[in-house]
Amino acid sequence: MSPLLLMLALDARQALDAGDAAWMAGDRGQARASWKVAAEAEDPAVRAMAELRLLRVSGNLGWMVHGPRVDRALADCPADDAWCDLAEAELELTLRDLGLGGDLDHVHRMLTRAEARLPEATEAARRWEAAG
């Protein structure tokens, strides 16, 4: 499906999820297309998470492109937004996975804050945290 048709068919969070599903199914091109759609979202948490996924699959220059976009999206996050808490946790987990540090105490704090409002999404993030 073309990115334009995908954008018309899905909201941004659905595009993020569709990219994840495509990636797990081995459809790398569709995954990237979906994440690029999600990266254009109005929701800063969705933008940040989409850019983090694109960063993970980009080449050596990925940080130069996606890093500042992640930072801008997280800076746009409203205080006490559960999805933004998850995006911050994902940033730290990405840093850890790429061998660039990652503050697991911060991950735990962000997941604890998000847990009451987003239990399923938080549980998925906790599994990712434990896998590292």
Side-chain angles (χ1 to χ4, degrees), residues 51-129:
E51 292 292 349
L52 284 166
R53 284 160 174 78
L54 290 166
L55 169 65
R56 283 178 178 266
V57 301
S58 64
N60 292 336
L61 298 178
W63 274 112
M64 292 175 56
V65 174
H66 302 291
R69 292 177 185 172
V70 171
D71 291 343
R72 282 192 301 273
L74 290 175
D76 289 344
C77 278
D80 200 34
D81 179 280
W83 284 106
C84 287
D85 292 342
L86 289 177
E88 279 192 45
E90 187 172 329
L91 170 60
E92 296 300 327
L93 291 170
T94 300
L95 291 171
R96 179 199 63 184
D97 292 347
L98 296 175
L100 300 171
D103 182 346
L104 293 182
D105 290 332
H106 186 66
V107 170
H108 181 70
R109 282 192 305 276
M110 293 298 98
L111 295 181
T112 299
R113 281 179 31 166
E115 197 162 34
R117 290 178 282 167
L118 301 169
E120 289 179 21
T122 303
E123 180 58 31
R126 285 200 186 280
R127 283 192 302 273
W128 190 260
E129 175 189 18

